[in-house]
Amino acid sequence: MKIGIIGLGYVGLPLAVAFAEAGHEVVGLDTDPRKIEALNAGRSYVEDIPDESLAPLGGRLEATSDYERLEPCDAVIVCVPTPLTSSREPDLAYLIEASNALSKVLQKGQLVVLESTTYPGTTRERLLPILEESGMSAGDEFHLAFSPERIDPGRTDYTIRTTPKLVGGVTEACTERARDLYSLICDEVVVLSNPEAAELSKLLENIFRSVNIALVNELSQLCDRLGIDVWEVIDAAATKPFGFMRFDPGPGMGGHCLPVDPFYLAFKARELDFYPEFIELAGKVNRAQPAYCVNLVARALNDAGKAVHDAGVLVLGVSYKNGVGDTRESPALQIIRRLRDLGAEVSYHDPHVAELPEFQLSSVELPTALESADVAAIVTAHPELDYEEVVAKAPLVVDFRGVTREIRAENLVRL
Ligand SMILES: NC(=O)c1ccc[n+]([C@@H]2O[C@H](COP(=O)([O-])OP(=O)(O)OC[C@H]3O[C@@H](n4cnc5c(N)ncnc54)[C@H](O)[C@@H]3O)[C@@H](O)[C@H]2O)c1
């Protein structure tokens, strides 16, 4: 088959590679010329896709910015960003722009699938009318479905092939087409009765995580007051073989999904005069966590007889999760900003993030930076770091990830 993928980012590129690896021809479309140039030169910019995995595709993956190149495709999958506006409302501008461009080149018989995370109703209420501006009708002359992306960057135990894929089309025929498409690269395709159910399933998965992370974040604050080690409590609860699922507290939620997606549903709910309290509350608790963590750094310095002002604070890990270099919505950025506002001299070390241009900072070398800092804050626990060495070399360590919980030391403070 010939597959078009619109948006070659963290979601679109692995998907394009999966189809090309399965022997299909892929036209990858992006508005960022640097991505097109890199891919056509055999260079990847997504950590989960090494350059070596592009070479054997034998020209089956071609990148372009020209929408007309989608005309010969059997199916076109849309993977553009769905962020929030500054007032935390869904920003569908990328989706609308891509849909308008697609509508102008849409061909009879094509299948269009939206993979971008969004609120229930987007495929039918927003995408469908734009595509029908082509003069063709959905379910009849072209097919339309929603299928949420479930990728977890950095994860290797589950792949696109082994993660069940949800599909919901605007008609039964649309669903069937979508099922056939994803059967080419996924072992299991789960059929839903409409796109709205598929859209909401994805949001439920992320809201479930957000609410549970908020619960343990709040528990960590209570444990601090109670003088109980929250990590010991969670480790103990996690020994129950049923009825409990482990979530860990941390410095806050980052990435393109968890801090963003729940607000897509909250927005839709408000339109219907419904106020989903769990979602809003979880967002509020999680968004307050970086400020709480900065207070822990200030308290640790204070206990050591130092002020935050002029203190050398070394942030360990600035990406939003371990093992990846993505800094979108990373709580580390808020922590750095707040520490700077308090007058701290902030530096950082991250094996996955060489530069933080918004702070004019570059990753510093260990172990020298550990010895010269007043405090090291473990914000993102990359597996490459030796945390025993961190505790041994830094004068003071504040751990927001619980990776030092086997270590006993006077200079160590944990969330
Ligand atoms: N990153 C994840 O882990 C993840 C997981 C599941 C779902 N999602 C969802 O998938 C969607 C994409 O996320 P992502 O992380 O891949 O984003 P991304 O920013 O990495 O990639 C999106 C790409 O779309 C391109 N683009 C923007 N407008 C375009 C247009 N009009 N035409 C063509 N290309 C355009 C951008 O240049 C970019 O390369 C979002 O809705 C996100 O919520 C992301």
Side-chain angles (χ1 to χ4, degrees), residues 300-356:
L301 282 167
N302 187 58
D303 290 347
K306 293 179 180 175
V308 181
H309 201 271
D310 287 339
V313 183
L314 173 65
V315 170
L316 296 174
V318 295
S319 60
Y320 83 89
K321 67 178 235 183
N322 66 19
V324 304
D326 188 352
T327 59
R328 289 180 294 179
E329 307 272 338
S330 174
L333 307 182
Q334 289 179 56
I335 289 174
I336 293 174
R337 202 168 293 122
R338 281 175 177 273
L339 285 167
R340 275 194 167 175
D341 287 348
L342 293 171
E345 291 289 330
V346 184
S347 58
Y348 85 93
H349 171 82
D350 192 312
H352 297 266
V353 184
E355 310 272 338
L356 280 182

Coordinates of all heavy atoms in Angstrom, one line a residue, residues 300-356:
A300 N 16.1 22.5 52.3 CA 17.4 21.7 52.5 C 18.5 22.7 52.6 O 19.4 22.5 53.5 CB 17.5 20.8 51.3
L301 N 18.6 23.7 51.8 CA 19.7 24.7 51.9 C 19.6 25.4 53.2 O 20.6 25.6 53.9 CB 19.6 25.7 50.7 CG 20.0 25.2 49.3 CD1 19.6 26.2 48.3 CD2 21.6 25.1 49.3
N302 N 18.4 25.8 53.6 CA 18.2 26.5 54.9 C 18.8 25.6 56.0 O 19.5 26.1 56.9 CB 16.8 26.8 55.1 CG 16.5 27.7 56.3 OD1 17.1 28.8 56.4 ND2 15.8 27.2 57.2
D303 N 18.4 24.4 56.0 CA 18.9 23.5 57.1 C 20.4 23.4 57.1 O 21.0 23.0 58.1 CB 18.3 22.1 56.9 CG 16.8 22.1 57.2 OD1 16.3 23.1 57.8 OD2 16.1 21.1 56.9
A304 N 21.0 23.6 55.9 CA 22.5 23.6 55.9 C 23.1 25.0 56.1 O 24.3 25.2 55.9 CB 22.9 23.0 54.5
G305 N 22.2 25.9 56.5 CA 22.7 27.2 56.9 C 22.9 28.1 55.7 O 23.7 29.1 55.7
K306 N 22.3 27.8 54.5 CA 22.5 28.6 53.3 C 21.2 29.1 52.8 O 20.1 28.6 53.0 CB 23.1 27.7 52.2 CG 24.5 27.2 52.5 CD 25.0 26.3 51.4 CE 26.5 25.9 51.8 NZ 27.0 24.9 50.8
A307 N 21.3 30.2 52.0 CA 20.1 30.8 51.4 C 20.0 30.3 49.9 O 21.1 29.9 49.4 CB 20.2 32.3 51.4
V308 N 18.9 30.4 49.3 CA 18.7 30.0 47.9 C 19.5 31.1 47.1 O 20.1 30.8 46.1 CB 17.3 30.0 47.5 CG1 17.1 29.6 46.0 CG2 16.5 29.0 48.3
H309 N 19.4 32.3 47.5 CA 20.0 33.4 46.8 C 21.5 33.1 46.7 O 22.2 32.9 47.7 CB 19.8 34.8 47.5 CG 20.0 35.9 46.6 ND1 21.2 36.5 46.4 CD2 19.1 36.6 45.8 CE1 21.1 37.5 45.5 NE2 19.8 37.6 45.1
D310 N 22.0 33.2 45.5 CA 23.5 32.9 45.2 C 23.9 31.4 45.4 O 25.1 31.1 45.2 CB 24.4 33.8 46.0 CG 24.3 35.3 45.5 OD1 24.0 35.5 44.3 OD2 24.7 36.2 46.3
A311 N 23.0 30.6 45.8 CA 23.4 29.1 46.0 C 23.6 28.5 44.6 O 22.9 28.9 43.6 CB 22.3 28.4 46.7
G312 N 24.6 27.7 44.4 CA 24.8 26.9 43.2 C 23.9 25.7 43.2 O 24.1 24.8 44.0
V313 N 22.8 25.7 42.3 CA 21.9 24.5 42.3 C 22.1 23.8 41.0 O 22.0 24.4 39.9 CB 20.4 25.0 42.4 CG1 19.5 23.8 42.4 CG2 20.2 25.9 43.6
L314 N 22.5 22.5 41.1 CA 22.7 21.7 39.9 C 21.5 20.8 39.7 O 21.2 20.0 40.6 CB 24.0 20.8 40.1 CG 24.2 19.8 39.0 CD1 24.5 20.4 37.7 CD2 25.4 18.8 39.4
V315 N 20.8 21.0 38.6 CA 19.6 20.2 38.3 C 20.1 19.0 37.5 O 20.7 19.1 36.5 CB 18.6 21.1 37.5 CG1 17.4 20.2 37.0 CG2 18.0 22.2 38.4
L316 N 19.7 17.8 38.0 CA 20.1 16.6 37.3 C 18.9 16.1 36.6 O 17.9 15.7 37.2 CB 20.6 15.5 38.3 CG 21.9 15.9 39.1 CD1 22.2 14.9 40.1 CD2 23.0 16.1 38.1
G317 N 18.9 16.2 35.2 CA 17.8 15.7 34.4 C 16.8 16.8 34.1 O 16.2 17.3 35.1
V318 N 16.7 17.2 32.9 CA 15.7 18.3 32.6 C 14.6 17.9 31.6 O 13.7 18.6 31.4 CB 16.4 19.6 32.0 CG1 17.3 20.2 33.1 CG2 17.2 19.3 30.7
S319 N 14.8 16.7 31.0 CA 13.7 16.2 30.1 C 12.5 15.8 30.9 O 12.7 15.7 32.2 CB 14.2 15.0 29.2 OG 14.6 14.0 30.1
Y320 N 11.4 15.6 30.3 CA 10.2 15.4 31.1 C 10.1 14.0 31.7 O 9.4 13.8 32.7 CB 8.9 15.7 30.3 CG 8.4 14.6 29.4 CD1 7.5 13.6 29.9 CD2 8.8 14.5 28.1 CE1 7.0 12.6 29.1 CE2 8.4 13.5 27.3 CZ 7.5 12.6 27.8 OH 7.0 11.6 26.9
K321 N 10.9 13.0 31.1 CA 10.9 11.7 31.8 C 12.3 11.1 31.5 O 13.0 11.6 30.6 CB 9.8 10.8 31.3 CG 9.9 10.4 29.8 CD 8.7 9.5 29.5 CE 9.2 8.2 28.9 NZ 8.2 7.3 28.5
N322 N 12.6 10.0 32.2 CA 13.9 9.5 32.1 C 14.1 8.7 30.7 O 13.2 8.2 30.1 CB 14.3 8.6 33.3 CG 13.5 7.3 33.4 OD1 12.9 6.9 32.4 ND2 13.5 6.7 34.5
G323 N 15.3 8.8 30.2 CA 15.7 8.1 29.0 C 15.3 8.7 27.7 O 15.6 8.2 26.7
V324 N 14.7 9.9 27.8 CA 14.4 10.7 26.5 C 14.9 12.1 26.6 O 15.3 12.6 27.7 CB 12.9 10.7 26.3 CG1 12.3 9.3 26.2 CG2 12.1 11.6 27.3
G325 N 15.0 12.8 25.5 CA 15.5 14.2 25.5 C 14.4 15.2 25.3 O 14.7 16.4 25.0
D326 N 13.1 14.8 25.4 CA 12.0 15.7 25.1 C 11.8 16.6 26.4 O 11.6 16.1 27.5 CB 10.8 14.9 24.8 CG 9.6 15.7 24.4 OD1 9.6 16.9 24.4 OD2 8.6 15.0 24.0
T327 N 11.9 17.9 26.2 CA 11.7 18.8 27.3 C 10.3 19.5 27.3 O 10.1 20.4 28.2 CB 12.8 19.9 27.4 OG1 12.7 20.7 26.1 CG2 14.2 19.3 27.5
R328 N 9.4 19.1 26.4 CA 8.1 19.8 26.4 C 7.4 19.7 27.7 O 7.2 18.6 28.2 CB 7.3 19.2 25.2 CG 7.8 19.6 23.9 CD 7.0 19.0 22.8 NE 7.0 17.6 22.7 CZ 6.3 16.9 21.9 NH1 5.5 17.5 21.0 NH2 6.4 15.6 21.9
E329 N 7.0 20.8 28.2 CA 6.2 20.9 29.5 C 6.9 20.3 30.7 O 6.3 19.9 31.7 CB 4.8 20.2 29.3 CG 4.0 20.7 28.2 CD 3.1 21.9 28.5 OE1 2.8 22.1 29.7 OE2 2.7 22.6 27.5
S330 N 8.3 20.1 30.5 CA 9.0 19.4 31.6 C 8.9 20.3 32.9 O 9.2 21.5 32.9 CB 10.5 19.3 31.2 OG 11.2 18.7 32.3
P331 N 8.7 19.6 34.0 CA 8.7 20.3 35.3 C 10.0 20.9 35.6 O 10.1 21.9 36.4 CB 8.2 19.3 36.3 CG 8.3 18.0 35.7 CD 8.3 18.2 34.2
A332 N 11.1 20.3 35.1 CA 12.4 20.9 35.3 C 12.5 22.3 34.9 O 13.2 23.1 35.5 CB 13.5 20.0 34.6
L333 N 11.8 22.7 33.8 CA 11.9 24.0 33.3 C 11.3 25.0 34.3 O 11.8 26.1 34.5 CB 11.2 24.2 31.9 CG 11.7 23.1 30.9 CD1 11.0 23.4 29.6 CD2 13.2 23.2 30.7
Q334 N 10.2 24.6 34.9 CA 9.5 25.5 35.9 C 10.4 25.6 37.1 O 10.5 26.6 37.8 CB 8.2 24.9 36.3 CG 7.2 25.0 35.2 CD 5.9 24.4 35.7 OE1 5.3 24.8 36.7 NE2 5.4 23.5 34.9
I335 N 11.0 24.5 37.5 CA 11.9 24.5 38.7 C 13.1 25.4 38.5 O 13.4 26.2 39.3 CB 12.3 23.0 39.0 CG1 11.1 22.3 39.6 CG2 13.5 23.0 40.0 CD1 11.3 20.8 39.8
I336 N 13.7 25.3 37.3 CA 14.8 26.2 37.0 C 14.4 27.7 37.0 O 15.0 28.5 37.6 CB 15.4 25.9 35.6 CG1 16.1 24.5 35.6 CG2 16.4 26.9 35.1 CD1 16.6 24.0 34.3
R337 N 13.2 27.9 36.4 CA 12.7 29.3 36.4 C 12.5 29.9 37.8 O 12.9 31.0 38.1 CB 11.4 29.4 35.5 CG 11.1 30.7 35.0 CD 10.0 30.6 34.0 NE 10.4 29.9 32.7 CZ 9.8 28.8 32.3 NH1 8.7 28.3 32.9 NH2 10.2 28.3 31.2
R338 N 11.9 29.1 38.6 CA 11.6 29.5 40.0 C 12.9 29.7 40.8 O 13.0 30.7 41.6 CB 10.7 28.5 40.7 CG 9.3 28.6 40.3 CD 8.4 27.5 40.9 NE 7.0 27.7 40.5 CZ 6.2 28.5 41.2 NH1 6.5 29.1 42.3 NH2 4.9 28.7 40.7
L339 N 13.8 28.8 40.6 CA 15.1 28.9 41.4 C 15.8 30.2 40.9 O 16.4 30.9 41.8 CB 15.9 27.7 41.1 CG 15.5 26.4 41.9 CD1 16.2 25.2 41.4 CD2 15.7 26.6 43.4
R340 N 15.8 30.4 39.6 CA 16.5 31.7 39.2 C 15.8 32.9 39.7 O 16.4 33.9 40.1 CB 16.4 31.7 37.6 CG 17.5 31.0 37.0 CD 17.6 31.3 35.5 NE 18.9 30.9 35.0 CZ 19.2 31.0 33.7 NH1 18.3 31.6 32.9 NH2 20.3 30.6 33.2
D341 N 14.4 32.9 39.7 CA 13.7 34.0 40.3 C 14.1 34.3 41.7 O 14.1 35.4 42.2 CB 12.2 33.8 40.3 CG 11.6 33.9 38.8 OD1 12.4 34.4 37.9 OD2 10.5 33.5 38.6
L342 N 14.5 33.2 42.5 CA 14.9 33.4 43.9 C 16.4 33.7 44.0 O 16.9 33.8 45.1 CB 14.6 32.1 44.6 CG 13.1 31.7 44.8 CD1 13.0 30.3 45.4 CD2 12.4 32.7 45.7
G343 N 17.0 33.9 42.8 CA 18.4 34.3 42.8 C 19.5 33.2 42.9 O 20.7 33.5 43.1
A344 N 19.0 31.9 42.6 CA 20.0 30.8 42.6 C 20.8 30.9 41.3 O 20.4 31.4 40.3 CB 19.2 29.5 42.7
E345 N 22.0 30.3 41.4 CA 22.9 30.1 40.2 C 22.6 28.7 39.7 O 23.1 27.7 40.3 CB 24.4 30.2 40.6 CG 24.8 31.6 41.0 CD 24.9 32.6 39.8 OE1 25.1 32.1 38.7 OE2 24.6 33.8 40.0
V346 N 21.8 28.6 38.7 CA 21.3 27.2 38.3 C 22.2 26.7 37.1 O 22.5 27.5 36.2 CB 19.8 27.2 37.9 CG1 19.4 25.8 37.5 CG2 19.0 27.8 39.0
S347 N 22.6 25.5 37.3 CA 23.3 24.8 36.1 C 22.5 23.4 36.0 O 21.7 23.1 36.9 CB 24.7 24.5 36.4 OG 24.9 23.8 37.6
Y348 N 22.8 22.7 34.9 CA 22.1 21.4 34.8 C 23.0 20.4 34.1 O 24.0 20.8 33.4 CB 20.8 21.6 34.0 CG 20.9 21.5 32.5 CD1 20.8 20.3 31.8 CD2 21.2 22.7 31.8 CE1 20.9 20.3 30.4 CE2 21.3 22.7 30.4 CZ 21.1 21.5 29.7 OH 21.2 21.4 28.4
H349 N 22.7 19.1 34.4 CA 23.4 18.1 33.6 C 22.3 17.1 33.1 O 21.4 16.7 33.9 CB 24.3 17.3 34.6 CG 24.8 16.0 33.9 ND1 25.9 16.0 33.0 CD2 24.4 14.7 33.9 CE1 26.1 14.8 32.6 NE2 25.2 14.0 33.1
D350 N 22.3 16.8 31.8 CA 21.4 15.9 31.2 C 22.0 15.2 30.0 O 22.3 15.9 29.0 CB 20.1 16.6 30.8 CG 19.0 15.6 30.5 OD1 19.2 14.7 29.7 OD2 17.8 15.8 31.0
P351 N 22.3 13.9 30.1 CA 22.9 13.2 29.0 C 22.1 13.2 27.7 O 22.6 13.0 26.6 CB 23.1 11.8 29.5 CG 22.2 11.6 30.6 CD 22.0 13.0 31.2
H352 N 20.8 13.6 27.8 CA 19.9 13.6 26.6 C 19.6 15.0 26.1 O 19.0 15.2 25.0 CB 18.6 12.9 26.9 CG 18.7 11.5 27.2 ND1 18.6 10.5 26.3 CD2 19.0 10.8 28.4 CE1 18.9 9.3 26.9 NE2 19.1 9.5 28.1
V353 N 20.0 16.0 26.8 CA 19.6 17.4 26.4 C 20.9 18.3 26.5 O 21.3 18.6 27.6 CB 18.5 18.0 27.4 CG1 18.1 19.4 26.9 CG2 17.3 17.1 27.4
A354 N 21.5 18.5 25.4 CA 22.8 19.3 25.4 C 22.6 20.7 25.7 O 23.5 21.3 26.3 CB 23.4 19.1 24.0
E355 N 21.5 21.3 25.3 CA 21.3 22.8 25.4 C 19.9 23.1 25.9 O 18.9 22.4 25.6 CB 21.4 23.5 24.1 CG 22.6 23.2 23.2 CD 23.8 24.1 23.6 OE1 23.5 25.2 24.1 OE2 24.9 23.6 23.3
L356 N 19.8 24.1 26.7 CA 18.4 24.7 27.1 C 18.5 26.2 26.6 O 18.8 27.1 27.4 CB 18.2 24.6 28.6 CG 17.7 23.3 29.1 CD1 17.5 23.4 30.6 CD2 16.4 22.8 28.4

